[in-house]
Amino acid sequence: MTKIAIFASGSGSNAENIIEHFQGVEDVEVVLVLSNNKEAFVLERAAKYSVPTFTFSKDMLQNSSKVVDVLLKSNASIIILAGFLLKIPESLVKQFPNRIVNIHPALLPKYGGKGMYGMNVHRAVVENNEKESGITIHYVNEQYDEGEYIFQTSCVVLSSDSPEVVQQKVQQLELIHFPTVIESIL
Ligand code: GAR
């Protein structure tokens, strides 16, 4: 049995999509959803599927072994960052080398790095008159958005597209591809 843990900070549409996908896959299971945000809607989504949740503070993540302990106890062998907005500490990267996967809502290396998350990314894409955007699924190393790429795919950005429209196009790509890309690397 391959056990997956998902980190998410917000709505959790990707987390829910991944949980649902793997309900239909033998020998793979999402065993834990972790969040730094007690109010995050992802926690309600997880509860709907009876997936256990764990919440923690930024300080707990960065300055204690609590989160690593909970992960080890869950027996998760792969960690998925699905809209997780804090930096993963080096200790956690070292504990799960090449076993942490992030999705970024743009075509890295463009529009990555600190502060580039969610709508900030789509606003920057529109402001720069980009003709395309997309998603990047990549391994996580000690630097923001710099680990080895696993998968990229793009969508067209029209000059009339608002950041919200770009967000919808990118979310569509995320929902289609993220679960199957994860499955392909298990
Ligand atoms: C997703 O679009 C994801 O790519 C992005 O946050 C959104 C979360 O949506 N991640 C980042 O910006 C990470 N830098 P969700 O909570 O509905 O899955």
Side-chain angles (χ1 to χ4, degrees):
M1 175 69 80
T2 303
K3 298 185 176 186
I4 300 175
I6 301 178
F7 281 66
S9 301
S11 163
S13 56
N14 279 288
E16 177 165 0
N17 188 41
I18 293 164
I19 293 169
E20 257 190 10
H21 175 84
F22 285 107
Q23 282 193 334
V25 177
E26 224 176 300
D27 292 334
V28 186
E29 196 187 352
V30 176
V31 291
L32 187 62
V33 168
L34 303 98
S35 184
N36 60 308
N37 177 5
K38 280 196 180 68
E39 310 295 324
F41 187 57
V42 70
L43 299 171
E44 286 177 43
R45 296 194 199 249
K48 201 167 84 186
Y49 295 87
S50 304
V51 175
T53 59
F54 179 75
T55 58
F56 54 86
S57 65
K58 185 175 174 179
D59 180 60
M60 206 191 285
L61 175 68
Q62 289 172 345
N63 301 314
S64 82
S65 63
K66 241 333 197 335
V67 174
V68 170
D69 294 346
V70 169
L71 282 167
L72 293 177
K73 216 170 137 195
S74 76
N75 285 318
S77 59
I78 181 158
I79 295 172
I80 305 299
L81 310 184
F84 184 63
L85 303 184
L86 298 181
K87 190 171 190 294
I88 293 294
E90 218 177 297
S91 54
L92 186 44
V93 176
K94 288 219 162 81
Q95 193 75 47
F96 292 88
N98 273 320
R99 306 304 294 163
I100 308 179
V101 174
N102 182 45
I103 189 161
H104 188 77
L107 295 171
L108 290 174
K110 282 184 160 186
Y111 306 105
K114 208 168 172 18
M116 275 297 170
Y117 58 86
M119 280 307 286
N120 292 351
V121 174
H122 308 308
R123 266 187 229 110
V125 164
V126 169
E127 272 164 21
N128 287 304
N129 297 311
E130 294 288 353
K131 300 282 174 276
E132 60 171 13
S133 189
I135 60 173
T136 304
I137 298 171
H138 65 96
Y139 288 111
V140 171
N141 64 15
E142 287 83 354
Q143 306 304 318
Y144 263 115
D145 301 331
E146 286 183 16
E148 184 196 334
Y149 299 166
I150 301 165
F151 177 86
Q152 284 189 309
T153 190
S154 62
C155 57
V156 170
V157 175
L158 302 174
S159 56
S160 56
D161 284 353
S162 64
E164 289 74 17
V165 169
V166 177
Q167 181 187 38
Q168 280 168 17
K169 290 179 174 178
V170 168
Q171 274 175 346
Q172 199 65 32
L173 294 178
E174 294 185 333
L175 293 179
I176 294 168
H177 296 287
F178 201 11
T180 49
V181 170
I182 295 167
E183 192 174 343
S184 75
I185 57 159
L186 293 180

